Amino acid sequence: MKFLHLADLHLGVENYGRVDPATGLHTRFLDYLDRLDDALAFGLAEQVDLVLIAGDIYKTRAPNPTHQREFARRINRVRSAGVPVFILTGNHDISPALGKAHSVAIFDALGVEGVTIADRLALHVIPTASGPLQIMAIPWVTRHMLMTREEMRNASFVQIDYELRRRLERFVIETAAKLDPALPAIIAFHGSLDGAEVGAERAMTLGQDLVLPRSVMAQPGVAYVALGHIHKHQALAQDPPMVYPGSLERVDFGEYADPKGCVLVTIEGKQARWQFHQLPARPFVSIQHDVRTSSDPMGLIQTLIARHDLREAVVRLNLQATREQVPLLREDVLRTMLSDAGAFVIAAITIDVERTGRRRIAGLEQELVGSLTPRRALELYLKSKQPPLDPARIAALLAAADELMAGEQ
């Protein structure tokens, strides 16, 4: 039996891009769709018996109709090939409000044959071309499930977390004891296991993580643990394998060095082996350098740019420079250099100015008033904030400003 394991599709992430005039869709949305297409094409070529998506289909809990349409088209493609689909709900899929539908509930409402939506703790037996597969589903769970219960009415958050973790662990242990030993079985879990290396998903998380111990997943009869939620591909154990495939595309520069892809899982008897399949995610390139000692900073920057492959890449440039060099480092020229090198999007150009003497932003404005652009003024303002802002936050704000200013041109 073979199945394709993916997670964290995050359709709707639209940073570092622009609207594609040919389709009317955002280029980053197209990136995410392309990676999903690549993963599904790989799975179908491998003749998988099942496609398992371990949560976070969309970026938001209320995706727009275009995002829903494009995802539905991909599901239809898989079902047309006769392959069943199993979708676990993640924290980006479910609404915290009681009674509101989650983002993939429409498949259940329409009764789409061969598509299973796992939005609650349950054991599913999925028929496949190679026989039935038992899937113990552990979707993202919310604390309001307990907070609305009378016995937890006055409980603290610590008590609620303890009780929620206890009930999840009990579900895994009790359900594992009921597994049919004649059939292969796996666990599908959207959440954090202890020891997992986190990344950009921490900043994107909707709701607070509840971390479960790996030991509770290592139940007799379980051949594989299909994980979702953590964007960095990693395997936390091998008996049974506990694998995060990671997200299909890079969300931001925190993931610039991470390979992106999906996992092909093969189960033979009670054992599972897996293979990570890397996908051609859009490259993110960060160029950082100190040019303060250079007599020709622009020439040095041109050499630095030439050392990187910027074709179709999202690029950011961060320089350390002296005040005297600032008038030479014209942003429009730097942007042209990066564009000529093939950059897909210039996420940010930041220049960290060597500070001596006065630290007030007003002082810098007076001394550099002849060379300050609106973007440079914003950059200086953000870097003068106390307490200091995180560099990644500054880069994100500057990137947003770049998009706004580009739209006005």
Side-chain angles (χ1 to χ4, degrees), residues 221-235:
V222 173
Y224 181 83
V225 181
L227 301 169
H229 181 56
I230 304 295
H231 287 191
K232 185 179 180 66
H233 164 59
Q234 56 198 292

Side-chain angles (χ1 to χ4, degrees), residues 106-301:
I106 188 66
F107 293 99
D108 259 348
L110 293 175
V112 179
E113 183 183 359
V115 178
T116 302
I117 304 299
D119 55 6
R120 63 196 65 192
L121 299 174
L123 176 63
H124 300 262
V125 180
I126 307 299
T128 79
S130 295
L133 174 65
Q134 299 175 101
I135 304 179
M136 194 185 309
I138 312 174
W140 181 268
V141 294
T142 59
R143 288 164 177 80
H144 80 259
M145 294 167 54
L146 287 180
M147 294 173 68
T148 55
R149 294 175 180 266
E150 184 62 31
E151 68 269 23
M152 301 297 294
R153 183 177 179 182
N154 297 316
S156 66
F157 278 103
V158 173
Q159 291 172 317
I160 291 173
D161 276 2
Y162 171 80
E163 181 63 20
L164 194 55
R165 187 178 296 107
R166 188 186 69 82
R167 295 188 185 196
L168 289 177
E169 293 178 6
R170 185 177 65 189
F171 165 77
V172 174
I173 294 170
E174 292 180 352
T175 305
K178 300 174 184 177
L179 292 173
D180 184 342
L183 302 178
I186 67 172
I187 294 175
F189 171 51
H190 187 92
S192 297
L193 286 186
D194 66 292
E197 184 179 348
V198 300
E201 72 282 344
R202 175 169 289 179
M204 295 178 65
T205 295
L206 303 174
Q208 186 178 358
D209 274 14
L210 187 73
V211 182
L212 294 183
R214 282 173 283 176
S215 59
V216 76
M217 298 293 175
Q219 296 295 322
V222 173
Y224 181 83
V225 181
L227 301 169
H229 181 56
I230 304 295
H231 287 191
K232 185 179 180 66
H233 164 59
Q234 56 198 292
L236 300 180
Q238 290 301 333
D239 188 22
M242 302 180 190
V243 182
Y244 284 101
S247 53
L248 293 181
E249 256 289 347
R250 296 183 176 95
V251 172
D252 58 26
F253 281 91
E255 302 179 5
Y256 80 96
D258 295 345
K260 296 297 177 182
C262 54
V263 173
L264 178 67
V265 183
T266 303
I267 300 179
E268 294 179 353
K270 300 295 183 181
Q271 302 296 317
R273 66 179 190 272
W274 61 275
Q275 165 197 344
F276 178 70
H277 176 70
Q278 187 167 345
L279 299 173
R282 185 170 297 281
F284 276 53
V285 179
S286 180
I287 303 174
Q288 304 182 60
H289 202 77
D290 187 343
V291 301
R292 288 178 295 181
T293 60
S294 175
S295 59
D296 180 17
M298 291 299 281
L300 175 58
I301 295 167

Side-chain angles (χ1 to χ4, degrees), residues 38-53:
D38 293 339
L40 296 177
F42 167 72
L44 294 178
E46 290 288 334
Q47 297 183 323
V48 294
D49 299 294
L50 174 75
V51 171
L52 187 154
I53 306 176

Side-chain angles (χ1 to χ4, degrees), residues 352-379:
D352 296 327
V353 180
E354 181 182 45
R355 292 187 178 186
T356 58
R358 289 176 297 172
R359 297 179 59 85
R360 291 179 53 130
I361 188 71
L364 284 175
E365 288 176 344
Q366 290 172 5
E367 293 177 27
L368 301 176
V369 66
S371 61
L372 273 181
T373 63
R375 188 191 185 285
R376 178 66 178 145
L378 173 61
E379 178 190 348

